[in-house]
Every structure is written in C-alpha cells, then in structure tokens.
Amino acid sequence: MALKRRTKISAAFSMSSMTDIVFLLLIFFMITSTMVHPNAIKLLIPKKVTKKVEVQKYLNVRVTSSGRYYVDGKRVGAESIESGLLKAFNSNEQTIVKLRTDKNASTGDVAAVLDIAESNGIKVILDIR
C-alpha cells in the first residue's frame, strides 16, 4: 500500500515580511533622527580688524660639512662662534637665528651652535640641505 502525501513542502521563501520590517525601521530612524539636536559649540567669530604684520629678521648661521661656521656670511672660527654669534645677534637686534647646515655636516658642530643658542635664550630655526 503506497501512501502519498497530499501536501507538498514549498522551498520558496517569502520576502514580503522582511521588507515590511525594514521599511518600518527606516521610518522609525528617520523620525527619531529629526528629533535629535546635535551638541554644537557656538563660535563668536571676530569682526574684520586690520593688523600690522611684523616681519622678523633672521640671523643666518651656516655650518658646512667641513666644520666651518659662517655668521651672516662672515667666517667665524670654532672657538669664537659664541662671541661672534652674540655680537651679530645683539648688534642687529634680530630675534631668530636661522641655522643652515649641509647634509653631511657633523651633528656635533650643529649641536654646539644649538647649545650656544639655548644657553643665551635665542630661538633657532633649523634648515638642513
């Protein structure tokens, strides 16, 4: 006696309920996002004011790869670099030293100039070429 099933199992999947849920979630998030107020900082932007721009002059100091020092284009010996640097710095009333070094310059020579500037309270900009 061969019994047959009267109901067949369907392998199809209905997406209609899934799309309903996604649609309802989309509506929910759209409504709640309009109710949220972002925490923003109020900035007080200043009005247009003209200022004079101060141009700072630089005292050029150069250290070569052979260990030579130049202060404003004048050669200074290694033993008198501090006095030469201070004399040029005080006579011109310049506020910043622009230290230019060659690519192969010794770090000890560069550090000597930086130590002199630091001990005398001079600001230094380092320019390596």
Side-chain angles (χ1 to χ4, degrees):
M1 195 161 145
L3 296 175
K4 291 186 179 180
R5 288 189 175 175
R6 294 187 182 210
T7 59
K8 291 186 178 181
I9 298 174
S10 174
F13 179 72
S14 176
M15 289 291 292
S16 62
S17 61
M18 184 67 76
T19 56
D20 290 343
I21 293 171
V22 170
F23 184 68
L24 289 173
L25 284 173
L26 178 68
I27 292 173
F28 172 76
F29 285 121
M30 286 176 57
I31 291 173
T32 56
S33 67
T34 58
M35 293 181 190
V36 175
H37 298 289
N39 295 332
I41 300 172
K42 292 183 181 180
L43 297 176
L44 299 175
I45 300 173
K47 294 180 181 177
K48 185 176 180 181
V49 178
T50 58
K51 279 189 170 180
K52 290 184 180 179
V53 177
E54 292 182 24
V55 178
Q56 295 180 339
K57 296 180 182 177
Y58 297 106
L59 175 65
N60 293 316
V61 177
R62 184 169 176 230
V63 180
T64 62
S65 59
S66 60
R68 294 184 183 139
Y69 299 96
Y70 294 92
V71 177
D72 272 344
K74 298 176 186 175
R75 186 172 177 201
V76 179
E79 62 280 345
S80 61
I81 183 69
E82 183 170 7
S83 61
L85 182 65
L86 291 176
K87 185 194 305 182
F89 186 77
N90 291 331
S91 66
N92 293 333
E93 297 180 8
Q94 295 168 331
T95 57
I96 297 177
V97 171
K98 185 177 181 181
L99 180 60
R100 220 170 141 194
T101 65
D102 290 340
K103 187 175 184 179
N104 297 328
S106 171
T107 55
D109 295 337
V110 177
V113 176
L114 290 173
D115 287 339
I116 292 167
E118 183 182 354
S119 63
N120 293 304
I122 301 171
K123 293 180 184 177
V124 177
I125 296 174
L126 188 60
D127 182 15
I128 300 172
R129 291 191 183 198

